[in-house]
Amino acid sequence: MDTKRIRKGGLPFVPNLRDYDEMRRQFTWQQIAGELDWFDEEHINIAHIAVDAHLKTDRRTKKALIWEGKKGEVEEYTFEDLARLSNRFANVLVEQAGVVKGDRVFFFLDRVPEIFIGILGTLKAGGVIGPLFCAFGPEAVKDRMADAGAKVLVTSPGLKKRIAGILPDLPALEKVILVHRGREAEPSEDLSYEEAMAGASEVFEIVRTHGEDHAIMHYTSGTTGKPKGAVHVHAAVQGHFATARYVLDLGQDDVYWCTADPGWVTGTSYGMFGPWSNGVTQVVYEGGFSASRWYGFLEKWKVTVWYTAPTAIRMLMKSGDELPGKFDFASLRYMCSVGEPLNPEAVVWGDRIFGKPFHDNWWQTETGSIMIANYPVQDVKPGSMGRPFPGIEAGIVDDEFRELPAGQEGHLALRPGWPSMFRTYWQKDDLYASLFKEGWYISGDKAKMDEEGYFWFVGRADDVINTAGHLVGPFEVESVLIEHPAVAEAGVIGKPDPIAMEVIKAFVSLKEGIEPSDELRLDIKKFVMKRLAAAATPREIDFLPSLPKTRSGKIMRRLLKARELGLPLGDTSTLEDD
Ligand code: ATP
Ligand code: MG
């Protein structure tokens, strides 16, 4: 394990916290619950906590959302604006779409302000939100909406056109609401968002949902197979609130940017509920990735806290070290990453370019909020996901679900019962139940813990490679591969072999301007061999222009493997276009 460290940088915003142990000692879920504005002991509503609860404070007129569109246009919304607009939307849903508590309302929209307003309004009305990533094709939308029995779809005319063919296959769907954003509405039986909003009252009495009432459905990324609909409840906001404060270190003066789309769990837990429940201003960029635009966005809005993902960081690295030198990041004080293992190289790169490391953290759609993290109060060990969130017990267990001591590799497991834990997979109760063993929730990932309690990701349980009696995690090999100066991205799989059971095969994409060659292949192999055991050195290396990824940006190793072996590709509904 890597023992390099990047020293913790100063004290966090939470007062009186000096180190991790102290944070664990101080923290209780009870205290967190006590800080939130429940209706009574059992009833809470995420939208109320995120927005309306601030109306009683001086944050009423504070900016909650600063949105920059693809063409550079800017819109700003205070907490009060969001409260009023989401009230209107809740009225639209109740009065014009007949939404009652528990109905599923799906969103298939670009990253426009209406998705934020719509999601808040749906939660106020007691509905269950189902955000879909706007780049999905018709089949991906159909699978999820049919599975969820969605009653309402909020979309745009352009996106509706894309999926028009599948709408008749959704018998539960009763109403489509079209967000035009300046486009002229054509006559149709759908509701026009703008017209309906204009006619709706600004006053709405938020449905007093029970903490255990369903609130959010997010489909998983589909990295390992068919996406599952993880169901979350209103009480989950306690997890969003607590982790946004202690992990993202959000405070009152921050300008926060979460790059995740609301179609993925990071985009709601940390692109809406976490920051807003803390009363924090966030900036949202509608456009897609571009290194120069992203750097420009950080500079322009004086972003102080930035939450992004390894794929984006690797793309920034790929675009070179000169470009960031042209921008001013003086305001940026804290950076976090989630979604995939963050290679040590990326942490060190961040430290070099921005003068601070990326703080990696681990969680899943199922866990609803961050479970393992690097905090401002602890040193960062590049390559480690950090330590369990206070209030969370994590462990490494063997195949019989017995806890393993430090240093041993096994299943990453969590003690169930935290507020934002998923309550089921939609209509897949058996699958859900099968993940709970001997008092643990089994995450499906493999990891190990070191003597200081830091967790190190090994790989997804299905991706771990068994070669000549050694278990090799793809992450370890990939991290070394991307340290090679020519390599931008790497994906590693186990390829069946008659003698060794599996041999390691690597797929790499190269940095801009570098051409594949046999010499380079040999050089990369030698590079890995010097740094890892012989068993972990790839037997074969293929060059690819880019690696297949899910739309949430995760390398799909199962697809690399299926292609390599000529097997069926399985569910590719979340596969990114090349
Ligand atoms: P599916 O469950 O459909 O296969 P998925 O697991 O990719 O897709 P998500 O819930 O979006 O869907 O992703 C959670 C997974 O992402 C984790 O289980 C883990 O494998 C990976 N992951 C997230 N953060 C990290 C991290 N910091 N380090 C390593 N892996 C991470
Ligand atoms: Mg998963």
Side-chain angles (χ1 to χ4, degrees):
M1 287 180 205
D2 205 328
T3 49
K4 275 184 283 187
R5 285 167 177 258
I6 297 177
R7 292 262 157 221
K8 63 185 176 198
L11 292 177
F13 272 160
V14 185
N16 306 322
L17 264 195
R18 276 164 212 287
D19 64 33
Y20 175 75
D21 295 327
E22 196 174 316
M23 179 166 77
R24 263 194 103 81
R25 269 196 308 277
Q26 277 184 19
F27 182 93
T28 62
W29 284 115
Q30 213 176 357
Q31 189 211 322
I32 293 296
E35 288 191 47
L36 298 176
D37 191 24
W38 296 64
F39 298 124
D40 60 34
E41 271 177 20
E42 293 182 343
H43 295 81
I44 188 166
N45 185 293
I46 297 176
H48 173 74
I49 301 298
V51 174
D52 290 49
H54 301 297
L55 302 189
K56 297 180 227 161
T57 72
D58 57 7
R59 291 183 295 277
R60 185 170 66 87
T61 52
K62 182 178 176 176
K63 283 173 202 163
L65 171 65
I66 302 174
W67 175 87
E68 183 175 322
K70 285 180 189 153
K71 298 184 193 113
E73 67 277 36
V74 172
E75 292 176 20
E76 297 185 343
Y77 300 84
T78 63
F79 282 98
E80 188 171 32
D81 294 333
L82 287 183
R84 285 199 189 135
L85 289 162
S86 55
N87 279 351
R88 280 183 192 260
F89 191 75
N91 279 317
V92 170
L93 287 181
V94 172
E95 286 163 15
Q96 305 204 43
V99 165
V100 295
K101 200 166 95 178
D103 282 344
R104 274 80 61 210
V105 176
F106 270 57
F107 292 84
F108 185 48
L109 275 179
D110 286 313
R111 216 169 313 145
V112 289
E114 288 79 0
I115 194 166
F116 298 86
I117 293 162
I119 281 177
L120 293 167
T122 304
L123 293 169
K124 285 184 169 183
V128 178
I129 59 161
L132 297 170
F133 187 46
C134 57
F136 278 159
E139 286 304 310
V141 173
K142 181 176 118 179
D143 281 358
R144 289 160 182 75
M145 287 188 60
D147 182 61
K151 179 168 177 175
V152 177
L153 172 65
V154 187
T155 185
S156 66
L159 289 170
K160 187 188 165 195
K161 211 170 272 167
R162 188 194 298 163
I163 57 161
I166 59 107
L167 293 178
D169 301 333
L170 301 173
L173 182 66
E174 291 179 15
K175 203 57 143 195
V176 175
I177 303 179
L178 289 180
V179 176
H180 296 86
R181 286 199 72 79
R183 254 173 89 149
E184 207 168 312
E186 289 168 17
S188 95
E189 60 195 30
D190 300 331
L191 265 188
S192 153
Y193 172 90
E194 291 76 10
E195 256 177 53
M197 287 288 277
S201 161
E202 250 175 32
V203 182
F204 182 80
E205 188 164 348
I206 299 181
V207 173
R208 300 193 162 224
T209 38
H210 192 278
E212 289 301 309
D213 281 339
H214 292 169
I216 308 164
M217 273 185 73
H218 268 297
Y219 283 82
T220 56
S221 291
T223 315
T224 54
K226 204 169 176 54
K228 301 143 280 189
V231 181
H232 293 279
V233 296
H234 280 276
V237 71
Q238 298 168 90
H240 310 147
F241 171 73
T243 48
R245 177 191 288 175
Y246 289 92
V247 182
L248 304 180
D249 197 32
L250 289 176
Q252 287 313 303
D253 299 329
D254 279 314
V255 177
Y256 165 72
W257 183 28
C258 169
T259 62
D261 190 87
W264 308 111
V265 69
T266 308
T268 55
S269 291
Y270 299 104
M272 297 183 199
F273 313 136
W276 284 340
S277 57
N278 281 280
V280 169
T281 301
Q282 57 168 338
V283 288
V284 169
Y285 179 52
E286 185 192 13
F289 178 86
S290 133
S292 52
R293 279 202 303 264
W294 275 33
Y295 288 138
F297 192 81
L298 286 168
E299 178 184 69
K300 175 175 175 184
W301 295 107
K302 299 192 168 48
V303 171
T304 60
V305 177
W306 182 29
Y307 194 16
T308 189
T311 305
I313 299 168
R314 286 193 296 263
M315 288 201 281
L316 292 173
M317 291 167 74
K318 192 173 175 177
S319 74
D321 289 3
E322 265 172 41
L323 185 63
K326 299 185 180 138
F327 297 84
D328 176 5
F329 304 121
S331 306
L332 191 61
R333 63 170 190 84
Y334 201 69
M335 314 190 298
C336 296
S337 165
V338 73
E340 272 206 304
L342 183 64
N343 317 88
E345 180 75 359
V347 179
V348 173
W349 176 83
D351 201 34
R352 189 169 76 239
I353 300 295
F354 301 102
K356 44 199 64 86
F358 283 101
H359 291 74
D360 185 22
N361 50 70
W362 176 94
W363 58 294
Q364 310 176 297
T365 309
E366 289 87 342
T367 69
S369 65
I370 296 165
M371 294 286 111
I372 296 181
N374 288 285
Y375 310 86
V377 290
Q378 74 178 24
D379 296 346
V380 172
K381 298 187 192 181
S384 164
M385 316 190 283
R387 293 189 271 193
F389 186 70
I392 298 293
E393 193 189 333
I396 302 293
V397 301
D398 65 14
D399 290 340
E400 269 77 53
F401 314 110
R402 286 174 305 221
E403 200 166 356
L404 289 167
Q408 288 195 35
E409 212 169 284
H411 302 279
L412 172 52
L414 303 161
R415 290 278 183 212
W418 65 93
S420 68
M421 191 180 95
F422 69 140
R423 297 301 195 263
T424 192
Y425 286 126
W426 188 258
Q427 294 190 331
K428 290 188 180 65
D429 291 334
D430 290 349
L431 178 62
Y432 173 78
S434 74
L435 301 178
F436 296 86
K437 306 275 190 197
E438 306 293 330
W440 293 101
Y441 160 67
I442 308 299
S443 71
D445 287 339
K446 289 204 146 176
K448 56 193 166 185
M449 189 185 75
D450 68 17
E451 296 290 342
E452 285 179 286
Y454 282 69
F455 282 69
W456 300 76
F457 186 76
V458 171
R460 291 169 184 269
D462 300 344
D463 291 340
V464 173
I465 301 161
N466 189 343
T467 178
H470 301 273
L471 291 178
V472 177
F475 174 53
E476 185 185 10
V477 186
E478 289 162 8
S479 286
V480 172
L481 282 164
I482 77 158
E483 276 177 42
H484 187 282
V487 175
E489 286 183 310
V492 163
I493 63 161
K495 182 176 171 179
D497 179 83
I499 297 163
M501 193 146 142
E502 287 184 307
V503 292
I504 293 179
K505 169 142 195 179
F507 297 85
V508 300
S509 76
L510 298 174
K511 291 206 175 129
E512 269 156 39
I514 297 179
E515 291 300 320
S517 70
D518 285 342
E519 286 94 310
L520 181 58
R521 186 176 282 121
L522 201 64
D523 190 63
I524 296 174
K525 272 194 198 174
K526 279 195 203 146
F527 182 87
V528 180
M529 206 153 4
K530 267 196 218 146
R531 288 159 177 81
L532 290 177
T537 303
R539 178 86 59 90
E540 294 175 26
I541 299 179
D542 274 9
F543 295 112
L544 294 178
S546 69
L547 296 175
K549 292 189 209 74
T550 63
R551 290 199 181 275
S552 54
K554 295 162 195 266
I555 296 171
M556 276 170 120
R557 294 176 192 81
R558 72 173 162 97
L559 208 74
L560 288 169
K561 191 160 179 169
R563 281 183 188 162
E564 176 70 24
L565 306 181
L567 296 173
L569 299 185
D571 187 284
T572 54
S573 66
T574 55
L575 181 68
E576 199 180 60
D577 302 325
D578 279 334

